[in-house]
Amino acid sequence: MPFLNDNSRGAVFMMMSMAGFIVSDTIMKLVAADLPLFQAIFLRGIFVALLMVLLAWQNDVLAYRPSRDDCVVLGARVIGEIGGMICLLNALINMPIVNATAIVQAIPFVVTLGAAFFFAERVGWRSYLAIAIGFFGVLIIIRPGSDSFSIHSLWAVGAVLFFTLRDLSTRRLSREISSTFAALVTSVAVVLVSGPVSLASPWQPVTSANVLLLGAAALCTLVGYLFSVMTMRVGDIGFVAPFRYSILLWALVLDILLFSQVPDQETILGSTIIVGMGVYALSRGRGAGRKPMPDLGHGLGRSIRP
């Protein structure tokens, strides 16, 4: 993209990253109509792990041996990633994609609170106010106590908590850990965990269409990961980071085209509040000279140093 400056390229890369991740999750929602969730996760995980092994081999990190401290942190990150993925996919399968995706956008708020509580990072009162308003936006989407409340939205809340563990653990990784190695460890762990769990329920026959869809989901996951790494290498992160919320636009389009689902007014209002407060918090971090976390979305390889 020689006609774009660094910031513009970074914004495009961020949007492509979000598109890759949300398309992969949407494909999993389609496949879940034919296959049990853990069977689908296991099969997609095999594809993703193979792709990550090739990428790790190309980047010469297959032989890397992390320190004992990094192994502990990687273990916590894997728990957060796998737990968050399971919760998120359960939410996506049982509710509109844009609703679940909007709730998950509260992750930066919870990460900020976690960093202040566990790592003693300084957070100003304006940021706390933005977080409180952002949580209010989440409540508007969930609508607890109303007739429109869906118990499945709690899966999305669970995803927020697990992904927060992932992202806080990521902050504790040493600089020697590359994003490719961390993503490789996660992809292998997904296969090792989902394989035995998938045997708890009878496996369903896998059609050639299922295989093609799962392969496409794995490829989209890799595309999302690669673009997320490229995003961190160009442009001003303070300018690029807000474009992570483009994932809501992708989710909206996919909901309409594939499932004929149009978000209601409450979902639109809550999503607008979450995005507005998220962009404000990112701009506050940029103005104060702090480097905001690069990409706190859901999925393999996100929030990892390039």
Side-chain angles (χ1 to χ4, degrees), residues 127-139:
S127 294
Y128 280 123
L129 180 60
I131 290 171
I133 297 174
F135 284 146
F136 178 68
V138 173
L139 290 177

Side-chain angles (χ1 to χ4, degrees), residues 32-65:
D34 299 324
L35 304 178
L37 177 60
F38 280 99
Q39 182 182 348
I41 290 175
F42 174 66
L43 293 175
R44 182 185 69 167
I46 292 176
F47 283 114
V48 173
L50 290 174
L51 291 172
M52 289 308 306
V53 167
L54 290 175
L55 188 62
W57 173 74
Q58 183 181 28
N59 292 337
D60 196 27
V61 298
L62 279 177
Y64 179 76
R65 295 293 180 269

Side-chain angles (χ1 to χ4, degrees), residues 278-289:
V279 172
Y280 172 77
L282 288 169
S283 66
R284 287 280 304 164
R286 183 187 185 191

